Amino acid sequence: MKTEARGSFVPVAAISLIILVIWYAMTVPMNAVVADSKIAAAGGGLANTIEVSWSLARPVLPAPHQVAIEFWNTVFGVAPWKVKSLVYHAWVTLSSTLLGFVLGTLLGIVLAVAIVHVRSLQKSLLPWIIASQTVPILAIAPMVIVVLGSVGLTGLLPKSLISMYLCFFPVTIGMVKGLNSPEPMQLDLMRTYHASAWDVLRKLRLPASVPFLFASLKVAIAIALVGAIVGELPTGAIAGIGARLLNGSYYGQTIQIWAALFAAAFMAATLVWFVGVADRVTARLMGARP
Amino acid sequence: MILTRAPLWRIYAGFAVLLVAFWLLASKTNYPVGAGFWLLVMALWAVAWFINMRLANSEPGSGVLKRFNAIAVPALFGVTLLFLWEFVVKGFGVPLVLLPAPSDIWAKLITSLPILRDDFVQTFLRAVLPGWAVGSLAGFITAILCDRVPFLKQGLLPLGNLVAALPMVGVAPIMVMWFGFDWQSKFAVVVIMTFFPMLVNAVTGLQAAGHLERDLMHSYGASWFGALLKLRLPAAMPFVFNALKINSTLALIGAIVAEFFGTPIVGMGFRISTEVGRLGLEMVWAEIAMAAIAGSAFYGAIALIERAVTFWHPSFRARPGRA
């Protein structure tokens, strides 16, 4: 795994560089609508074209360094509790993501345990759990927020509920698979010990399901973040990465949108990485050899 | 209990009687209601639960009955849930703003079919379906390119894996800014959202063919293209269809969410956000019902095609009762 990662460093760097070059090149034609008059005013020529295209205040496509500067300024240049700080917005999104993630994981595990133990639930509930995911919940997220708001539930919880709805599905599916993963021989052994259903769950099924759980959690945490971001769209653009996106699109602040996007990407990557680390640590604690 | 040993046809007869009882109770009751109504509801619920247990634990012998049973169990569960929803909302007088009853949603649905059709055409036929097809196809072609050029694969795949986990709906405001308010921007969002899952899955799938089969192809002197066409593409199909299924849900989400950032005055996302603003919750739920039906049908169609294309895969071959 390690050597593979090192072996792919050069290609990844090369592809990233190519993407960066294309991005810089694309800023010229993409921004032509806004920039043309300014370029003409500056006297034309390649140098002026690049100069103007890469430093517009409201570009159609901002240059990478503009995004980087905006990102740097809003992350490190402002105190993290100010509304202008990206860290503040990221924190708002992160907290509802994590709450939704925890709730969704718990719900997913409880449902999976119930499904594995009650046969009629497996046949009647599982198809509906699968069908529940064809409902574009993200699309109705705003409505859920508004409806919950009219009952008096505001703030963190409604957004978390959307993350939870998205989260529980991969966890349930993965855990049903994981809880059913012990082989018949192992289950038979438990039966010869006269183990109760609770003991079988605690000593055999749950430990066996851990790898499945972490595989699901990686999907769940990424999707929880999406849920939290979309959940922020209708709250009147107050706080959070989603609000930042919406605000940017209202006022044509493209650079701000891109910076928020990169913050979201960074958060997603970090969260998935954290789950990966937790996976490895748990595996080691449970006696797996690296 | 006597009923536990009752033959299956009697259980089905009970099922039918139960449905009629539910229907009569739902249509004939005058609200508000007293304690007797709730006792009746509880009793019907208990009967439904019992029939469901009995059906789920039955082992019908013949293939047709077995398949029918596999549909009847979740169907009964869903129908029971729907009626309980109706009774609870009507019985307790839950305000319309909070949660409309299924009957209200149905009434709204059949009276506003033209609007729903326009929204469906705008969102589903113009943005979701073409975007899904183009995005998936582009991802698939890129995967084949990656397979041909190892350097591209080593460079693009880690990035693709990263991007596939990112909240891609975030590009919606940018696409709306670039391609305008109409369906083109939604189409673009859907293309971007569906591209990466297909890329990652197809690349994995193209490596799925076993060494033995590859060696056989090699000993036949098959060209890269020949081996791709005859061995590795068919072997990749389960992964490709997995991506197509994931993408079908993503596409619908992408298109509807993109409409929150700006639309002409038609489309499912637009209708949802405006009706929420006007507290026209029945209309919102009608749109949700339509989205759910369209999404399920879309998913189901892909699953059917998958079964026809990858009939050789163990997950279909080993289905009990079809041997």
Side-chain angles (χ1 to χ4, degrees), chain A residues 8-64:
Chain A
S8 64
F9 176 75
V10 174
V12 170
I15 298 283
S16 306
L17 199 68
I18 292 172
I19 293 174
L20 212 60
V21 169
I22 294 176
W23 186 349
Y24 266 117
M26 283 303 286
T27 53
V28 176
M30 288 290 289
N31 288 329
V33 193
V34 199
D36 266 352
S37 56
K38 288 183 185 165
I39 295 169
L46 185 64
N48 277 327
T49 307
I50 289 175
E51 163 89 38
V52 173
S53 298
W54 288 0
S55 57
L56 290 166
R58 289 182 181 185
V60 178
L61 176 67

Side-chain angles (χ1 to χ4, degrees), chain B residues 126-169:
Chain B
R126 292 209 180 117
V128 173
L129 271 185
W132 171 81
V134 171
S136 301
L137 192 68
F140 186 68
I141 291 172
T142 314
I144 290 178
L145 272 181
C146 278
D147 192 66
R148 187 76 235 236
V149 189
F151 184 81
L152 201 61
K153 179 159 99 188
Q154 282 176 355
L156 208 55
L157 204 57
L159 290 178
N161 267 320
L162 180 72
V163 176
L166 298 186
M168 287 310 279
V169 279

